[in-house]
Amino acid sequence: MTANNKNIDKQGKKLLNVPNLRFPEFEGEWEKDRIRNLFTINVGGDIDKKNVSETQTDKYPYPIIANALSNDGIYGYTSIYKDSAPCITVTGRGDIGSAKFRNYPLYPIVRLLVLHSNGKIDCCFGEYAINHIRKYEESTGVPQLTSPQLGAYSICYPSFEEQIKIGDFLNLIDKRIATQNRIIEDLKQLRSAITNRIIYNLVADKKFVPFSAIYQMAGEGGTPNTNNRQYYEGGTIPFIKIDDLSSKYLTRNKDFITEIGLQKSSAWVIPANSLIYSNGATIGAVSINTYKVATKQGILGIVPKSTVCVEYLYYLTTSTFFKKQIHRIITHGTMTTAYLKDINKIKVPLPDIEEQNKVIKGLITLSEKIEKEQEILANFQAQKKYLLHQMFI
């Protein structure tokens, strides 16, 4: 592949409709047309839940595709299909306008758009061409991309042979990105499994302290900003608070920020924008360059005490053991709430500082490995973005 140096035809006329980057064996201008002239567009509807299976079986072989990006948009499986292969699905709701090449028959639901080529466009190439254009939702209520709106957009395309080569090339990059994502996910699952095993082994030793004994609030000397009233008024104020997004507190190099949120009517604990360092490397969370952090729903800024290393605090609060303790203390009302006074009473294992450093050593190495793999993923994603910009018009 080379930068395009064939912008002049045999008569000396400048070719305008060509990409910046192109395979050297192809030349000539690309054509341009509206999507409605290049594809037949179908729209997904409803499906009888009696004909839906969570798993793919001989009886239910066909994927049900919805307006989602996770799990390739697969909602379940059914015994019949509405759209044959090859085709392109385009999300009409949610993250609208995301195109995906499908080389299998499927059943579309919830206003998912399905495109069938009229013969001028290779569907694999069509996925990238459609994703290259910028699309806007049509409605003012629920964001939605409709069939007429999508059909009104135009795409540029070369000969069918060049389309196939472009599509195959970009598909290889997508497969490598998918592989990299699986590598990262497998490493995260391994880290989670090891973390849980370590914490439960420590639980078996029965060296417990209340959670309040291992941390102090983030800020100057561990004292919270007086505006953050939900964090320190005797633990009587709900820990989850949704009406104060403006107050701020100062954090320091070794501050730890954790978050409690809602999922399927139960509380969960995850790290959020953590200032966690080990020899300059971040541990399992996003590094923040500024020390002024805006509080928001469910954010608790804490600093480990001298008897606790920050990495141990991180792995403890992300363990299954700690999450289960949170689940036991939540209250249900107009919203699911975990109170700070109850969080402080949770019994957690706390070995001495030397043992903490021993048990987290391997986890830190694994976290650094995950961070390196995420950098590789980011490079692949940047490469794909650059190629899409250069290879399409």
Side-chain angles (χ1 to χ4, degrees), residues 245-309:
L245 305 182
S246 60
S247 58
K248 297 181 178 180
Y249 55 85
L250 295 178
T251 62
R252 300 172 301 189
N253 244 16
K254 286 288 186 175
D255 287 2
F256 177 76
I257 304 170
T258 193
E259 178 177 350
I260 289 185
L262 303 179
Q263 187 178 51
K264 295 181 179 178
S265 300
S266 62
W268 50 282
V269 178
I270 60 171
N273 297 330
S274 306
L275 288 170
I276 304 175
Y277 293 92
S278 174
N279 297 324
T282 58
I283 302 298
V286 180
S287 173
I288 301 178
N289 293 323
T290 177
Y291 296 138
K292 185 173 286 188
V293 182
T295 59
K296 60 179 182 179
Q297 175 181 348
I299 291 294
L300 172 64
I302 60 180
V303 182
K305 292 187 176 180
S306 59
T307 54
V308 184
C309 65

Side-chain angles (χ1 to χ4, degrees), residues 4 6-7 15-20 22 28-30 392-393:
N4 197 335
K6 298 179 179 180
N7 290 342
L15 302 178
L16 300 177
N17 209 26
V18 292
N20 294 326
R22 199 172 190 182
E29 287 191 304
W30 286 24
F392 287 84
I393 302 171

Side-chain angles (χ1 to χ4, degrees), residues 72-86:
D72 269 350
I74 297 176
Y75 171 81
Y77 299 89
T78 185
S79 60
I80 57 176
Y81 67 88
K82 291 180 66 175
D83 289 274
S84 59

Side-chain angles (χ1 to χ4, degrees), residues 19-141:
N20 294 326
L21 198 62
R22 199 172 190 182
F23 291 102
E25 64 268 33
F26 298 105
E27 58 183 15
E29 287 191 304
W30 286 24
E31 297 185 55
K32 183 178 182 180
D33 205 344
R34 294 186 185 276
I35 290 176
R36 63 171 173 247
N37 298 328
L38 300 171
F39 297 91
T40 299
I41 306 177
N42 299 331
V43 181
D46 299 322
I47 188 170
D48 187 349
K49 291 187 177 180
K50 295 180 181 179
N51 195 31
V52 175
S53 170
E54 292 184 359
T55 57
Q56 192 173 29
T57 64
D58 290 340
K59 183 179 179 181
Y60 301 101
Y62 304 112
I64 302 168
I65 310 297
N67 288 293
L69 301 184
S70 59
N71 194 35
D72 269 350
I74 297 176
Y75 171 81
Y77 299 89
T78 185
S79 60
I80 57 176
Y81 67 88
K82 291 180 66 175
D83 289 274
S84 59
C87 63
I88 303 170
T89 59
V90 181
T91 51
R93 292 179 179 175
D95 293 309
I96 64 170
S98 178
K100 177 72 176 178
F101 167 56
R102 312 281 181 175
N103 60 352
Y104 47 81
L106 56 90
Y107 196 108
I109 60 173
V110 290
R111 310 303 295 174
L112 182 74
L113 305 175
V114 185
L115 281 61
H116 293 271
S117 173
N118 66 5
K120 291 184 178 181
I121 303 296
D122 171 68
C123 283
C124 185
F125 170 86
E127 171 192 328
Y128 300 107
I130 292 171
N131 283 333
H132 183 63
I133 62 178
R134 188 175 183 183
K135 298 169 283 293
Y136 301 89
E137 68 268 18
E138 186 173 87
S139 63
T140 56

